[in-house]
C-alpha cells in the first residue's frame, strides 16, 4: 500500500473512494471544505440514515458523479473532546475495511485540520499509516481457492493535507510504514504453522534480518552444546522432550550515539503441548502462538536498521518446543539456571518461565544491560485478569514502567500494571529447591509467574510484559484479523524512539 500526500481540494483527489471523517454533532463544520452541491447530496444521505458522526457511525454513498470518486464514505470520529489516538486508529481501520468491502483500490482520506491539531501532524499521519496497514493485513498464504483470487488489495491511500503540515506528515508516514511492516512481519511468524516455525526456523529468520541490515544488526545462534556450556539447564530441560534442537538466538543493534543498553527477550516456545503435564485439546489448539514474544523481538529488530533509534539493543530468544516424550522433563525434576538458582518443576506446562529464567540470568551476566524488557505469552491467568486486549506489565523500576506506559499510549497497544507483590513470594517457595515453577493454590497466577522471573533478574531494571491475551486475536477486530497480532512491536519501537 502506497501513501501519498496531496495539497488540493478534497473533491479533486481523483480516487475510487473518498473517505470523509467528521466529528459528532459538528458534521457540517467538519465537511466545510467541500463544494455546495456535494454537501447537499451528503446532507440528504445523513438525514436518510440518521448519521450522527458517533464512533460507530458509517455511511457509504454513491457520489452521483458529482466528483471523480465513485463513492463517498462518511466515518464518525465521535466527540472531539473524547478523541484520542486509539479512536483515530480504530476509525481508520474500520474505514479501510469498508473500503475493501466496496472494492476501492485507490482511496482518499480527508485530513481535517483540527484533527491533526489534537495530536500533531506527524503523529496523526503515522497513526493513519499504522492503522491502514494493520487493518489491511491478511494471511492468505494457505488459501488456495476463490477467496484469495477475489482479493483486491488497496493500492494507494492519498491523504489530503494542508501545505504547512507536509514535512511533518512525510516523517509520520515514514515511521508508520516501518512500524506497521515490522508488526505485520511478526504476525506472519505467529500465523505460520508450527511445523514450519521451529527453533531452527526462528534462528534463520534472525540471521536473515542481520543479512538484510547492511551490517547494522548482528545475529548469533548458540547450538545445543554451547547452550549446555553456558549452563542453561532450565532451558534445556524444557527442550529435552522434543526432536527439534533448541536454538539460543542473539540479535544485536548498536547506534554510535546509544544512550542505553537494553535487552529485549521474547518467549520462544515454538509449540506448547504442556509437556508431560499435557494440555487438553482445546487449550492446545492455538499453542503455535507461544513464540509470539520471540516473533515480536524479530519484528522489532527487523525495523531497527531503518529506524536507527539511539540505543544499544540486544534481542534474546531461547527457542524450543515443549513436547511430551520418553526424554521429557518430569514433574519433580530439579533444574539449575545460569545464575545458580535451583528450580523444582512441578508442572511442565509452566515452561516459559523456565526458559526465561536462563535468558534473564544470562542477559544479566553476559550483557550487564541498563534495562531488560521481556515479552512472553506466559500465563492464562493474565488473560483471566485483563482479557484479550490488554497485556499485563510488571517491573522493578518505576521510571521504566512509566516510560513504557507512555509508549503504550502512543502506539495504541494497551498495557496495565500489575503488582510484584512481595507477600506472595512464599507461594513459589520450594521445600527441596530454591523456587518451584508454579504457585501454591489457584490464585494470582500472573503475579506468581512474574515473581518467579524476578528471581533471575538480580538488580537490573526490568519490565515483564505478559502478552498471553493480546498476542493472538481469537476473532477479527478492526485493526487485527483473527490470528497473530504482532503485539509489542510498536510499543517497544515507540519506546526506543523516545530515548
Ligand atoms: N503458554 C501458556 C500460557 C498461555 C495460555 C498463553 C493461553 C496464551 C494463551 C503457558 O506456558 C502455560 O501453559 N501456563 C500455564 C501455567 C500454569 C501451569 C501454572 C497456565 O497459564 O495455565
Ligand atoms: Zn505451557
Ligand atoms: Zn507456554
Amino acid at each position: 500500500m502506497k501513501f501519498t500526500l496531496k495539497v488540493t481540494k478534497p473533491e479533486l483527489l481523483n480516487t475510487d473512494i473518498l473517505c470523509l471523517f467528521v466529528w459528532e454533532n459538528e458534521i457540517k463544520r467538519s465537511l466545510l471544505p467541500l463544494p455546495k452541491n456535494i454537501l447537499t447530496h451528503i446532507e440528504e444521505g445523513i438525514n436518510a440514515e440518521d448519521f450522527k458522526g458517533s464512533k460507530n457511525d458509517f455511511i457509504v454513498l454513491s457520489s452521483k458523479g458529482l466528483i471523480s470518486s465513485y463513492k463517498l464514505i462518511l466515518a464518525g470520529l465521535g466527540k472531539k473532546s473524547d478523541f484520542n489516538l486509539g479512536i483515530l486508529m480504530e476509525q481508520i481501520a474500520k474505514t479501510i475495511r469498508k473500503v475493501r468491502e466496496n472494492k476501492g483500490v485507490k482511496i482518499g482520506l480527508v485530513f481535517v485540520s483540527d484533527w491533526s491539531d489534537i495530536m500533531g501532524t506527524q503523529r496523526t499521519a503515522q497513526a493513519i499509516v499504522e492503522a491502514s496497514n494493520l487493518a489491511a493485513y491478511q494471511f492468505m498464504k494457505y488459501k488456495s481457492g476463490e477467496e484469495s483470487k477475489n482479493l483486491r488489495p488497496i493500492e494507494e491511500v492519498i491523504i489530503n493535507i494542508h501545505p504547512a503540515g507536509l514535512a511533518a506528515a512525510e516523517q509520520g508516514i515514514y515511521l508508520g510504514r516501518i512500524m506497521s511492516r515490522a508488526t505485520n512481519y511478526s504476525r506472519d511468524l505467529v500465523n505460520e504453522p508450527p511445523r514450519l516455525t521451529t527453533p531452527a526456523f526462528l534462528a534463520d529468520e534472525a540471521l536473515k534480518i542481520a543479512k538484510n541490515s547492511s551490517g547494522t544488526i548482528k545475529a548469533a545462534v548458540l547450538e545445543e552444546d554451547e547452550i549446555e556450556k553456558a549452563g542453561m539447564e532450565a532451558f534445556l530441560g524444557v527442550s529435552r522432550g522434543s526432536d527439534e534442537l533448541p536454538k539460543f538466538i542473539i540479535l544485536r543493534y548498536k547506534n554510535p550515539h546509544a544512550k542505553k543498553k537494553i535487552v529485549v527477550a521474547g518467549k520462544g516456545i515454538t509449540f506448547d503441548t504442556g509437556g508431560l503435564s499435557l494440555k487438553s485439546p482445546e487449550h492446545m489448539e492455538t499453542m503455535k502462538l507461544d513464540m509470539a514474544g520471540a516473533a515480536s523481538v524479530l519484528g522489532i529488530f527487523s525495523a531497527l536498521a531503518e529506524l536507527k533509534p539511539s540505543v544499544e539493543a540486544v534481542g534474546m530468544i531461547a527457542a524450543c518446543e515443549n513436547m511430551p516424550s520418553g526424554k521429557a522433563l518430569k514433574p519433580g525434576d530439579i533444574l539449575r539456571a545460569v545464575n545458580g538458582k535451583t528450580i523444582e518443576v512441578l508442572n511442565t506446562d509452566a515452561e516459559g518461565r523456565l526458559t526465561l529464567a536462563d535468558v534473564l540470568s544470562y542477559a544479566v551476566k553476559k550483557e550487564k544491560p541498563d534495562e531488560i524488557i521481556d515479552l512472553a505469552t506466559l500465563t492464562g491467568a493474565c488473560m483471566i485478569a485483563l482479557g484479550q486486549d490488554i497485556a499485563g506489565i510488571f517491573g522493578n523500576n518505576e521510571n521504566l514502567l512509566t516510560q513504557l506506559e507512555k509508549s503504550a499510549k502512543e502506539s495504541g497497544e494497551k498495557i496495565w500494571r500489575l503488582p510484584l507483590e512481595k507477600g506472595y513470594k512464599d507461594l513459589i517457595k520450594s521445600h527441596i529447591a530454591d523456587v518451584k515453577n508454579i504457585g501454591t493454590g489457584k490464585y494470582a497466577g500472573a503475579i506468581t509467574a512474574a515473581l518467579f522471573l524476578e528471581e533471575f533478574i538480580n538488580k537490573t531494571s526490568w519490565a515483564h510484559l505478559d502478552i498471553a491475551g493480546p498476542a493472538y486475536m481469537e476473532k477479527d477486530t478492526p485493526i487485527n484479523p483473527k490470528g497473530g497480532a504482532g503485539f509489542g512491536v510498536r510499543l517497544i519501537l515507540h519506546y526506543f524512539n523516545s530515548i
Side-chain angles (χ1 to χ4, degrees):
M1 205 187 299
K2 188 170 130 196
F3 294 85
T4 322
L5 295 169
K6 271 202 184 144
V7 182
T8 179
K9 292 189 175 130
E11 67 274 21
L12 299 178
L13 276 185
N14 201 12
T15 56
D16 303 332
I17 300 182
L18 193 65
C19 308
L20 303 160
F21 297 87
V22 299
W23 299 114
E24 186 170 344
N25 301 330
E26 290 185 51
I27 300 176
K28 281 219 181 101
R29 201 184 59 76
S30 310
L31 293 174
L32 262 188
L34 293 171
K36 214 163 175 138
N37 59 344
I38 307 167
L39 268 182
T40 316
H41 170 55
I42 293 175
E43 266 167 26
E44 280 167 20
I46 288 173
N47 294 335
E49 305 211 19
D50 199 24
F51 177 89
K52 297 259 182 326
S54 71
K55 275 196 304 172
N56 289 316
D57 267 354
F58 275 96
I59 48 175
V60 183
L61 298 171
S62 147
S63 73
K64 289 235 175 97
L66 292 170
I67 52 170
S68 55
S69 308
Y70 64 81
K71 270 186 185 162
L72 294 167
I73 292 181
L74 245 71
L77 291 175
K79 290 200 183 72
K80 203 169 162 183
S81 52
D82 298 339
F83 192 59
N84 62 35
L85 205 113
I87 294 176
L88 167 64
M89 290 187 69
E90 193 162 320
Q91 296 314 98
I92 296 280
K94 285 185 194 159
T95 307
I96 291 290
R97 282 171 185 266
K98 285 264 182 256
V99 164
R100 215 161 47 193
E101 281 164 31
N102 287 281
K103 307 237 181 294
V105 172
K106 188 174 169 190
I107 65 166
L109 304 182
V110 177
F111 201 59
V112 186
S113 66
D114 50 4
W115 176 17
S116 63
D117 290 348
I118 296 179
M119 288 169 305
T121 306
Q122 178 181 321
R123 195 61 207 97
T124 307
Q126 182 176 346
I128 290 172
V129 174
E130 287 182 18
S132 304
N133 279 336
L134 296 178
Y137 175 84
Q138 283 174 299
F139 189 72
M140 300 303 275
K141 187 170 163 189
Y142 299 96
K143 289 273 191 193
S144 45
E146 286 305 304
E147 254 177 288
S148 58
K149 281 193 212 120
N150 286 340
L151 265 185
R152 292 190 66 200
I154 300 169
E155 282 167 14
E156 187 173 7
V157 177
I158 302 177
I159 304 170
N160 185 225
I161 186 173
H162 290 261
L166 267 177
E170 282 291 358
Q171 179 65 9
I173 291 178
Y174 175 75
L175 293 173
R177 206 184 275 135
I178 296 174
M179 296 201 185
S180 51
R181 196 190 295 141
T183 308
N184 285 340
Y185 164 59
S186 171
R187 288 174 170 185
D188 277 346
L189 293 176
V190 175
N191 287 331
E192 285 287 358
R195 192 170 73 97
L196 184 80
T197 53
T198 57
F201 178 90
L202 295 185
D204 280 348
E205 288 297 303
L207 296 172
K208 263 192 227 161
I209 289 169
K211 205 170 146 211
N212 295 333
S213 73
S214 358
T216 331
I217 289 167
K218 309 255 181 294
V221 179
L222 304 188
E223 302 295 336
E224 197 173 31
D225 53 334
E226 295 161 294
I227 299 171
E228 205 174 323
K229 263 190 223 131
M232 301 191 198
E233 243 182 50
F235 172 32
L236 285 177
V238 176
S239 159
R240 196 179 304 135
S242 167
D243 289 343
E244 296 290 340
L245 290 171
K247 306 279 172 184
F248 192 93
I249 303 165
I250 304 169
L251 284 149
R252 213 172 274 282
Y253 158 85
K254 189 172 181 181
N255 185 309
H257 308 293
K259 298 199 183 91
K260 270 183 196 174
K261 181 174 184 180
I262 306 175
V263 169
V264 188
K267 173 171 169 183
I269 301 298
T270 61
F271 195 79
D272 182 11
T273 65
L276 289 179
S277 313
L278 197 64
K279 284 185 184 292
S280 68
E282 312 91 85
H283 285 119
M284 213 188 290
E285 248 178 47
T286 55
M287 277 305 130
K288 67 174 182 182
L289 67 71
D290 219 16
M291 39 61 84
S296 297
V297 171
L298 291 168
I300 291 161
F301 276 79
S302 78
L304 292 184
E306 267 188 292
L307 208 58
K308 303 186 182 64
S310 311
V311 295
E312 177 176 358
V314 183
M316 283 193 184
I317 299 166
C320 71
E321 282 185 339
N322 186 23
M323 299 290 280
S325 81
K327 289 182 292 173
L329 192 61
K330 301 172 189 76
D333 273 341
I334 295 175
L335 305 167
R336 191 183 295 273
V338 168
N339 71 346
K341 286 199 183 169
T342 54
I343 309 163
E344 180 189 15
V345 178
L346 289 177
N347 189 321
T348 63
D349 196 12
E351 83 298 336
R353 65 195 78 182
L354 298 175
T355 60
L356 284 168
D358 274 335
V359 176
L360 299 177
S361 38
Y362 184 79
V364 171
K365 181 176 155 188
K366 284 275 178 182
E367 301 292 340
K368 301 186 177 54
D370 298 304
E371 291 168 0
I372 300 182
I373 303 169
D374 75 75
L375 297 140
T377 48
L378 204 65
T379 67
C382 198
M383 297 171 78
I384 304 282
L386 299 175
Q388 276 259 284
D389 296 345
I390 308 170
I393 181 164
F394 300 83
N396 58 5
N397 182 296
E398 182 59 37
N399 185 41
L400 174 60
L401 291 171
T402 313
Q403 292 305 314
L404 287 171
E405 280 166 343
K406 229 169 96 193
S407 307
K409 288 230 165 64
E410 288 211 337
S411 69
E413 295 191 298
K414 295 179 183 146
I415 63 175
W416 196 257
R417 217 189 276 200
L418 295 171
L420 275 173
E421 173 57 45
K422 301 286 173 273
Y424 293 170
K425 276 198 171 205
D426 280 351
L427 300 176
I428 53 166
K429 275 210 175 116
S430 161
H431 76 289
I432 187 168
D434 297 331
V435 276
K436 57 180 180 169
N437 80 330
I438 51 169
T440 306
K442 58 182 176 183
Y443 302 127
I447 299 178
T448 48
L451 286 169
F452 179 93
L453 296 183
E454 197 188 16
E455 296 286 326
F456 303 91
I457 278 298
N458 207 355
K459 297 217 156 38
T460 312
S461 293
W462 159 70
H464 156 58
L465 284 153
D466 192 330
I467 60 170
Y472 193 90
M473 290 297 120
E474 280 171 16
K475 55 180 193 315
D476 284 346
T477 69
I479 214 130
N480 211 140
K482 181 174 164 132
F487 187 92
V489 174
R490 287 176 311 118
L491 168 65
I492 302 295
L493 291 178
H494 276 267
Y495 174 54
F496 281 0
N497 255 4
S498 74
I499 292 172

